[in-house]
Amino acid sequence: MIKAFYSDKSFLKAIAGFSAIEEVYHSKNKRLSKDLNSSMESFIATFPDFKSETPIYILHSLGRFNGATRDLNGKSYLMFGVDLMAKYHNWKNDTPFFHHELFHVYHEKLF
């Protein structure tokens, strides 16, 4: 799984740039599970047939994505890259972003 995301180049670049996002990274990471769970509840209220067995991972993507679905070894995963969320998400509410990513999972099951 590691090779699918990381390379020496991306690792070194992420380490070099981490101090610029560190404070926001820790803040986002601290509240991400709570915010995601709240967003999941409102998503399910809109799409009550949403039943996902897709594992969700919260990680440092080393500059690869803020949110993404990825197939690894024949299994689909929903992943949130806190590093790019910290870098680019300057809005107060991540719910629309989470709904967007959850919709990818919902959509995947329909097609």
Side-chain angles (χ1 to χ4, degrees), residues 3-67:
K3 273 188 165 184
F5 297 110
Y6 305 125
S7 68
D8 290 342
K9 183 179 176 183
S10 64
F11 185 74
L12 293 173
K13 185 177 178 184
I15 288 175
F18 187 72
S19 63
I21 64 165
E22 184 173 8
E23 187 177 325
V24 178
Y25 179 95
H26 288 299
S27 175
K28 282 233 181 257
N29 194 49
K30 185 177 182 174
R31 59 179 208 273
L32 201 141
S33 287
K34 180 180 172 239
D35 292 350
L36 177 57
N37 284 334
S38 174
S39 297
M40 181 84 75
E41 289 174 11
S42 59
F43 187 84
I44 291 170
T46 303
F47 300 98
D49 61 328
F50 178 73
K51 305 263 189 286
S52 176
E53 295 178 10
T54 303
I56 298 174
Y57 285 89
I58 298 168
L59 49 88
H60 191 304
S61 75
L62 298 182
R64 296 290 216 183
F65 53 79
N66 58 354

